[in-house]
Amino acid sequence: MQALNLNKDKEEGTSSSLSSSSSSLCPSSSSSSSMATSKNSPSSSVPLPNSTTSTTTTKKKSTTTEHDDSSSYVSQLKEVREWRKSTLSHAERFALIKSVGEECLKDEDLSALLDKKDHPICYDGFEPSGRMHIAQGVLRVLNVNKLTEAGCIFRFWVADWFAMLNNKMGGDLKKIRKVGKYMIEIWKAAGMNMDNVQFLWASDEINANSDQYWTLVMDIARRNTLKRIHRCCTIMGRKEEDEMSAAQMMYPCMQCADVFYLKADICQLGMDQRKVNMLAREYCDEKKIKHKPVILSHHMLMGLKQGQEKNEQVRPRFRDFHGRFCR
């Protein structure tokens, strides 16, 4: 109230007609009159927005702002949805799921899983790190559609914090989020069936369940040597001999924790992620967890450059074509 009175004293020169006009619109308090006389106030001929309009505007704003308020975020792990059930037989489901992978650990575990669950949970994580290459844009769509046809629920882990740890997009989280949204839209446009698909943002999920998540990460780190974790750092596209930051050494422990946090029955990632998936199975042995996650590692699409083991990036010579094709 003191601040309002000061404003009132400063603006004694304002015309009384404008003040009285504003008072008639908002007669509830004297503070409304003093606020109406400020130089940024609307003229008396323009009605002030009523409380109903103000509430509607606020609601509209909150629905268009994503991932801003972690305190109001509700974990999508609790999402209730009618999942699409497969019409295939057990043998057909098994064959279709196996067709995705270059390697399956283990066949008997996968068969037992399909006997037990109509909707096994598959998981893959991706770093939003720039332009989407063909392997991500096309092969991922084909693989996900096969798995959801077999009745699986596919959980995409949008690994924004992981991308920041790995210094993608210069470690700028806002840019990383924007790239993540871009990649999701490409998958939709490329024909991914979204009936049994979830996209979970790592930063939001971790903030919402930090006690559960970080307890897992610390337990995995405690049960493994630094040398064992260092061997897993190739999952980030790094070589074992590369010099890495302390943040990057956290990465394998966090990715291993993702498997259990997301309650994944099947780790459906590329062969380049095999080491950390094996770490998850070893952790099950340590913790005496009976049902280990099935590792279903898909083929890596060969790169177009001679000697390139996998297609990781859009090379400069192909960027022009890529840009025209994706417009």
Side-chain angles (χ1 to χ4, degrees):
M1 287 297 292
Q2 186 177 4
L4 291 174
N5 290 333
L6 287 172
N7 288 338
K8 185 175 181 180
D9 293 340
K10 287 180 183 178
E11 300 185 8
E12 286 176 349
T14 309
S15 67
S16 59
S17 60
L18 180 60
S19 176
S20 60
S21 174
S22 300
S23 299
S24 65
L25 289 169
C26 303
S28 58
S29 68
S30 61
S31 62
S32 300
S33 175
S34 64
M35 290 174 68
T37 60
S38 65
K39 72 176 182 180
N40 292 327
S41 297
S43 68
S44 58
S45 61
V46 180
L48 295 174
N50 58 36
S51 58
T52 308
T53 307
S54 179
T55 305
T56 306
T57 305
T58 304
K59 284 184 179 179
K60 188 173 182 180
K61 184 178 179 182
S62 66
T63 57
T64 56
T65 304
E66 296 182 13
H67 314 298
D68 286 340
D69 187 3
S70 58
S71 63
S72 62
Y73 178 80
V74 178
S75 172
Q76 289 192 46
L77 293 174
K78 300 174 183 178
E79 181 184 13
V80 177
R81 199 198 299 184
E82 189 174 341
W83 304 109
R84 181 165 56 93
K85 190 173 180 179
S86 177
T87 58
L88 303 176
S89 67
H90 178 280
E92 289 171 329
R93 291 172 70 206
F94 180 84
L96 188 58
I97 292 172
K98 276 269 291 179
S99 71
V100 168
E102 179 179 337
E103 178 185 57
C104 179
L105 291 174
K106 300 180 175 176
D107 284 5
E108 55 268 31
D109 291 346
L110 177 59
S111 182
L113 177 65
L114 296 179
D115 279 333
K116 183 181 176 183
K117 289 190 173 183
D118 290 331
H119 300 295
I121 295 171
C122 297
Y123 129 83
D124 185 14
F126 68 94
E127 286 184 3
S129 56
R131 285 180 180 268
M132 183 178 280
H133 55 71
I134 294 171
Q136 287 177 312
V138 178
L139 291 187
R140 172 43 75 205
V141 170
L142 297 175
N143 288 344
V144 168
N145 286 350
K146 286 180 180 180
L147 292 164
T148 56
E149 187 183 346
C152 297
I153 297 168
F154 204 101
R155 284 179 174 164
F156 275 103
W157 190 235
V158 190
D160 50 356
W161 270 6
F162 291 76
M164 187 171 65
L165 284 176
N166 207 9
N167 204 32
K168 298 296 176 68
M169 307 302 294
D172 187 324
L173 193 59
K174 286 186 178 179
K175 291 180 181 177
I176 290 167
R177 285 184 180 278
K178 187 174 289 188
V179 173
K181 293 173 186 177
Y182 146 81
M183 295 176 86
I184 292 169
E185 291 306 314
I186 287 183
W187 279 321
K188 289 178 181 178
M192 185 179 287
N193 189 324
M194 296 291 170
D195 289 349
N196 285 16
V197 173
Q198 290 177 302
F199 290 97
L200 293 86
W201 292 78
S203 57
D204 289 336
E205 288 290 332
I206 293 169
N207 281 331
N209 298 284
S210 55
D211 54 343
Q212 178 187 347
Y213 186 84
W214 291 115
T215 300
L216 263 172
V217 173
M218 288 189 291
D219 193 47
I220 290 163
R222 187 177 63 83
R223 292 172 182 273
N224 287 279
T225 64
L226 188 61
K227 187 176 180 180
R228 177 70 182 91
I229 298 301
H230 190 263
R231 287 206 311 271
C232 290
C233 286
T234 54
I235 63 174
M236 298 182 287
R238 312 286 177 179
K239 295 179 181 178
E240 285 188 41
E241 60 269 22
D242 288 351
E243 185 175 348
M244 284 172 276
S245 66
Q248 287 170 325
M249 292 301 292
M250 293 172 59
Y251 194 115
C253 296
M254 291 173 66
Q255 185 168 325
C256 184
D258 295 343
V259 177
F260 303 99
Y261 174 78
L262 296 171
K263 298 177 172 55
D265 299 304
I266 300 172
C267 298
Q268 208 293 279
L269 297 91
M271 283 294 293
D272 59 334
Q273 305 296 304
R274 186 182 187 278
K275 288 182 180 180
V276 77
N277 290 334
M278 289 302 298
L279 184 69
R281 285 181 67 94
E282 291 168 11
Y283 180 70
C284 290
D285 291 332
E286 283 277 334
K287 292 284 289 182
K288 304 294 188 292
I289 298 172
K290 184 178 179 182
H291 299 291
K292 298 179 183 180
V294 174
I295 301 175
L296 190 68
S297 303
H298 60 250
H299 305 278
M300 304 306 296
L301 184 67
M302 297 297 290
L304 298 173
K305 191 176 179 181
Q306 186 175 2
Q308 189 183 6
E309 291 183 2
K310 65 177 183 175
N311 183 16
E312 294 178 323
Q313 302 174 12
V314 179
R315 299 291 173 182
R317 291 179 63 187
F318 305 105
R319 278 188 185 141
D320 185 53
F321 167 77
H322 179 273
R324 291 178 185 175
F325 182 76
C326 293
R327 282 175 190 157

